[in-house]
Amino acid sequence: MSIRFVLQGILLTIPISVVLLISFDHLRLPTPGVGIVVSVLLFVVGGGQCFIPTPRYRGLAVGLMTGWAILSIVSAGVSTGFTRFLV
């Protein structure tokens, strides 16, 4: 697994989360759906890529899942839609 691809996955998490949050707010969709979509998208895509036997995809997968966790901790769940479960 390449560290470069892990870092790319972590950095890719931020724009993915921001785009999904803005689009959900703009479309006025139910608020719990935001956290579910962001979580499922990053973890299903990341988990699926773990089974591809190349270092590039495995590194990107680990980076996506790690980036989601770091973003959730740093932003207290605001950027990943976790706080919307509580509202």
Side-chain angles (χ1 to χ4, degrees), residues 20-49:
L20 286 174
L21 287 172
I22 289 172
S23 63
F24 268 77
D25 284 342
H26 180 67
L27 296 174
R28 299 188 199 285
L29 293 174
T31 53
V34 176
I36 293 170
V37 169
V38 172
S39 302
V40 167
L41 179 72
L42 292 175
F43 276 95
V44 169
V45 170
Q49 286 182 347

Side-chain angles (χ1 to χ4, degrees), residues 6-83:
V6 172
L7 293 175
Q8 284 178 354
I10 291 172
L11 293 176
L12 255 170
T13 305
I14 296 169
I16 290 171
S17 296
V18 169
V19 167
L20 286 174
L21 287 172
I22 289 172
S23 63
F24 268 77
D25 284 342
H26 180 67
L27 296 174
R28 299 188 199 285
L29 293 174
T31 53
V34 176
I36 293 170
V37 169
V38 172
S39 302
V40 167
L41 179 72
L42 292 175
F43 276 95
V44 169
V45 170
Q49 286 182 347
C50 283
F51 295 107
I52 300 173
T54 60
R56 178 182 186 162
Y57 290 112
R58 285 188 179 175
L60 195 61
V62 170
L64 284 173
M65 294 186 281
T66 305
W68 180 85
I70 291 171
L71 196 59
S72 293
I73 292 169
V74 169
S75 70
V78 173
S79 296
T80 54
F82 256 172
T83 56

